Amino acid sequence: MSIAARLNRNAAKARPAAPARGRDAKDAPGDRTDHYFEIKTRIHDRLIDMIDLSLLDTLSETEMRAEIAKVTEGLLWEEFRSAPLNLAERKRMLTEIQDEVIGLGPLEPYVKDPTVNDILVNGYKQVYVERRGKLELTPARFRDDDHLRKIIDRIVSLVGRRIDESQPLCDARLLDGSRVNAVIPPLAIDGPSLSIRKFSRDPLEVADLIGFGAMTPPMADLLDGIVRSRLNVLISGGTGSGKTTLLNCLSRFIPEDERIVTIEDAAELQLKQDHVVRLETRPANIEGKGEIDQRELVKNCLRMRPDRIIVGEVRAAEALDMLQAMNTGHDGSLTTIHANSPRDAMMRLETMVSMAGLNLSPLSMKRYISSAVDVVIQATRLVDGARKVISIQEVTGMEGEMITMQEIFAYEQTGVTRDGKVEGYHTARGIRPKFAAKMERMGRPFPAEMFVPARQAGRGRQ
């Protein structure tokens, strides 16, 4: 007997459908929407009563969808007698109910859409998505706040996290690595809020960034040499500027025979090497105990014999432990930081080191940072949504009480077209970096003409 047949056999035991609300042909669009959600809720509730979830767990997603569709079709025909739906509404409802049972409900189509980069839920009535750097309002909506809470609970429970009134903030991830942030009342005044930062199943490669105009081939060659020469790299940028994408791309240059340890708040890096150990922070339990933060993980990874340490993002006191690792033989480390410029990134590092509680003088702190960090790469999202590497700078040391830096490559914006596209070009600054000598010793020499200023127009968009 098929699962659908066994589900149908349970139908007699399920509670009967609630009577349909009367509907006039001149109902307003809002009434029509509410009527649609009422029918969908009744069918979904009856389906849950009829389904044996243990049976569905034995099937693949395709088989689950097929079995759910068979039972839902029967329920839709029952509803059709008292509350008619047109063909388009029936097809839409069938897909949405499948998504409700085994997916993320109204968000499922956008999770599967490869053109969507971000999904932003502002309460149950409003869902935005970002495509190609631009926000769009979608027709998707949830039934109510409780419906949205159920989807949030489903996401966070998959990765062993929790969200409730005692802990109304949560960072989590989907099974494909996409990053999720959820906020619920009392912190979210207008109802639960959900943000999903999607990651491609096929991560972008350096060649893709060159094709999008995010960088040029000489810049990519230099970054390849920087990583292979085991220089310590700090990737700086704002939210949505492509820091994690760039970090993923740079990790491709790490040799296969090196042991890599990654440390993240929510695992999202997509490394392709085999010898990788991935560590993720853990929040406190319901009793407020058991929290493991990034600082503890950085300290622990030093005992794991890493060749490379990759920290997804430094935000607080773990910056000190990261710098200590860079200064004590764990060269070739990579991390990201939120900052608007390489100079701001240095200032933020000073602030985060001071959060560790050490009694260091400002001058000693700056010397420590300048000794640890070799290269700062600045990523930016421009006004037209394009993401570009706008600066590669070398940290050269100290001059007086200031950390000195020199820019090797930069992006020069020349204007904006009538349709809002940014115009500009990448160029070298005419400076041969001091670390070029180390790269030559590591077998990665670069021709002098590579650093001669010249317009290198980028193509396309990221």
Side-chain angles (χ1 to χ4, degrees):
M1 183 185 296
S2 72
I3 289 180
R6 279 183 274 181
L7 295 180
N8 282 323
R9 195 172 64 177
N10 293 333
K13 302 177 183 178
R15 56 187 172 84
R21 178 175 66 89
R23 180 170 56 87
D24 190 90
K26 296 182 181 180
D27 277 349
D31 292 336
R32 178 72 175 176
T33 300
D34 292 339
H35 175 67
Y36 172 88
F37 275 97
E38 284 179 16
I39 297 175
K40 177 181 166 183
T41 301
R42 289 201 300 271
I43 291 178
H44 179 260
D45 290 345
R46 291 186 65 196
L47 183 67
I48 293 300
D49 287 340
M50 295 162 58
I51 283 180
D52 184 347
L53 295 177
S54 63
L55 295 176
L56 292 181
D57 288 341
T58 64
L59 303 178
S60 67
E61 180 177 342
T62 302
E63 292 172 323
M64 281 193 287
R65 286 184 175 273
E67 297 293 349
I68 290 170
K70 291 177 184 177
V71 181
T72 305
E73 281 283 4
L75 295 176
L76 279 172
W77 280 113
E78 288 182 25
E79 288 288 344
F80 183 79
R81 297 171 188 166
S82 56
L85 298 171
N86 60 45
L87 183 60
E89 287 175 328
R90 288 180 60 240
K91 287 183 176 179
R92 172 189 166 194
M93 187 173 293
L94 180 62
T95 300
E96 289 182 357
I97 289 176
Q98 289 174 320
D99 291 339
E100 290 288 346
V101 176
I102 60 177
L104 299 183
L107 305 182
E108 191 70 16
Y110 305 107
V111 171
K112 294 181 176 179
D113 187 344
T115 67
V116 172
N117 299 321
D118 285 272
I119 303 171
L120 308 171
V121 182
N122 307 333
Y124 75 92
K125 289 185 178 180
Q126 198 176 64
V127 179
Y128 282 86
V129 298
E130 181 195 282
R131 287 188 174 95
R132 302 176 184 85
K134 298 295 184 180
L135 292 176
E136 304 173 8
L137 179 63
T138 72
R141 57 165 284 183
F142 293 83
R143 182 175 67 250
D144 51 30
D145 284 342
D146 289 339
H147 183 198
L148 177 54
R149 274 295 303 274
K150 287 179 182 177
I151 298 299
I152 292 174
D153 289 338
R154 182 179 299 175
I155 292 172
V156 301
S157 63
L158 289 175
V159 291
R161 308 231 167 175
R162 67 182 182 87
I163 185 168
D164 52 36
E165 285 72 15
S166 64
Q167 189 171 327
L169 295 172
C170 183
D171 278 319
R173 54 183 165 82
L174 301 181
L175 296 179
D176 64 358
S178 298
R179 188 171 64 202
V180 177
N181 178 267
V183 188
I184 63 172
L187 298 188
I189 298 173
D190 298 321
S193 173
L194 180 67
S195 304
I196 300 177
R197 170 68 53 82
K198 287 179 57 184
F199 291 94
S200 172
R201 289 185 175 87
D202 298 316
L204 294 176
E205 303 290 345
V206 174
D208 298 316
L209 300 188
I210 294 173
F212 294 144
M215 65 174 71
T216 61
M219 294 169 67
D221 289 341
L222 180 65
L223 295 179
D224 184 354
I226 285 172
V227 175
R228 293 183 186 275
S229 300
R230 302 183 66 86
L231 298 177
N232 295 320
V233 178
L234 182 67
I235 300 173
S236 168
T239 301
S241 60
K243 298 187 301 298
T244 303
T245 298
L246 186 55
L247 182 58
N248 271 321
C249 290
L250 293 188
S251 71
R252 308 286 188 269
F253 299 137
I254 299 176
E256 287 283 349
D257 59 352
E258 294 189 11
R259 175 176 170 84
I260 306 169
V261 178
T262 68
I263 298 166
E264 303 172 82
D265 264 337
E268 54 188 350
L269 293 175
Q270 298 168 296
L271 276 64
K272 291 192 173 181
Q273 288 85 346
D274 290 329
H275 200 169
V276 178
V277 178
R278 304 171 71 205
L279 305 180
E280 185 179 50
T281 60
R282 186 180 73 180
N285 60 22
I286 195 168
E287 298 168 349
K289 300 178 181 178
E291 180 181 8
I292 305 293
D293 60 17
Q294 281 200 132
R295 188 171 190 187
E296 291 297 320
L297 293 180
V298 172
K299 289 178 180 177
N300 185 78
C301 86
L302 299 180
R303 307 183 185 102
M304 300 173 66
R305 199 257 175 222
D307 289 311
R308 306 270 185 156
I309 301 173
I310 300 179
V311 178
E313 182 181 337
V314 288
R315 297 185 179 91
E318 68 271 5
L320 173 63
D321 300 285
M322 184 70 196
L323 294 174
Q324 285 181 327
M326 292 176 173
N327 269 324
T328 55
H330 296 89
D331 49 358
S333 300
L334 299 95
T335 188
T336 71
I337 188 172
H338 272 272
N340 293 326
S341 70
R343 179 61 59 187
D344 288 346
M346 294 292 101
M347 294 173 61
R348 279 214 69 205
L349 272 181
E350 292 178 41
T351 302
M352 287 187 281
V353 170
S354 66
M355 294 168 66
L358 292 182
N359 190 21
L360 285 176
S361 68
L363 183 58
S364 298
M365 196 182 303
K366 290 179 180 179
R367 285 176 177 169
Y368 202 70
I369 293 172
S370 66
S371 175
V373 180
D374 297 308
V375 179
V376 182
I377 304 169
Q378 183 70 33
T380 297
R381 180 167 63 176
L382 305 178
V383 294
D384 63 349
R387 297 171 172 88
K388 294 186 183 295
V389 176
I390 65 165
S391 182
I392 300 177
Q393 297 198 22
E394 177 187 23
V395 179
T396 56
M398 293 283 295
E399 186 172 311
E401 297 185 358
M402 180 173 291
I403 298 174
T404 56
M405 308 170 72
Q406 58 183 12
E407 193 167 54
I408 304 166
F409 282 97
Y411 179 77
E412 293 286 353
Q413 181 176 333
T414 57
V416 179
T417 63
R418 291 183 177 179
D419 58 353
K421 301 291 180 61
V422 172
E423 293 182 322
Y425 60 92
H426 286 99
T427 181
R429 289 302 196 193
I431 297 173
R432 186 176 180 83
K434 292 183 177 180
F435 58 68
K438 180 177 181 179
M439 289 196 292
E440 288 179 3
R441 292 195 301 270
M442 300 290 288
R444 289 304 306 266
F446 287 101
E449 58 269 18
M450 175 179 175
F451 304 104
V452 175
R455 291 196 176 198
Q456 301 164 359
R459 308 184 302 278
R461 296 164 49 88
Q462 183 180 353

